[in-house]
C-alpha cells in the first residue's frame, strides 16, 4: 500500500519538508498539471507564512 493513499488529499497534493534551512513546498498533482484548488492555495499560503516566521529557515 502506498503511504500517500492514507493521507488527506490536501497533504498528498501539497507536500512540505524542511531541510538544511530550506523549506520545500512541492505541488504533487500531475494529473491536473499542478493546478491548485482554493484549499490547496490556502495550504501553500500557510506554509509560506510558517517558513517566513521560522528562524531556522532562510539564509545562514
Amino acid at each position: 500500500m502506498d503511504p500517500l493513499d492514507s493521507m488527506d488529499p490536501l497533504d498528498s497534493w501539497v507536500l512540505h519538508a524542511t531541510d538544511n534551512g530550506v523549506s520545500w513546498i512541492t505541488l504533487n498533482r500531475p494529473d491536473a498539471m499542478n493546478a491548485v484548488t482554493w484549499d490547496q492555495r490556502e495550504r501553500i499560503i500557510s506554509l509560506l507564512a510558517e517558513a517566513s516566521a521560522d528562524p531556522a529557515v532562510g539564509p545562514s
Side-chain angles (χ1 to χ4, degrees), residues 2 4 18 20-22 24 33-34 37-38 46 51-52 56 58:
D2 186 345
L4 292 179
T18 301
N20 200 25
V22 177
W24 294 92
M33 295 190 286
N34 287 330
T37 66
W38 283 107
S46 174
S52 292

Side-chain angles (χ1 to χ4, degrees), residues 1-15:
M1 180 175 171
D2 186 345
L4 292 179
D5 290 341
S6 63
M7 295 176 77
D8 179 344
L10 189 57
D11 290 334
S12 65
W13 291 332
V14 180
L15 306 175

Side-chain angles (χ1 to χ4, degrees), residues 16-38:
H16 178 251
T18 301
D19 181 37
N20 200 25
V22 177
S23 182
W24 294 92
I25 300 171
T26 305
L27 302 179
N28 185 34
R29 200 170 170 222
D31 56 317
M33 295 190 286
N34 287 330
V36 295
T37 66
W38 283 107

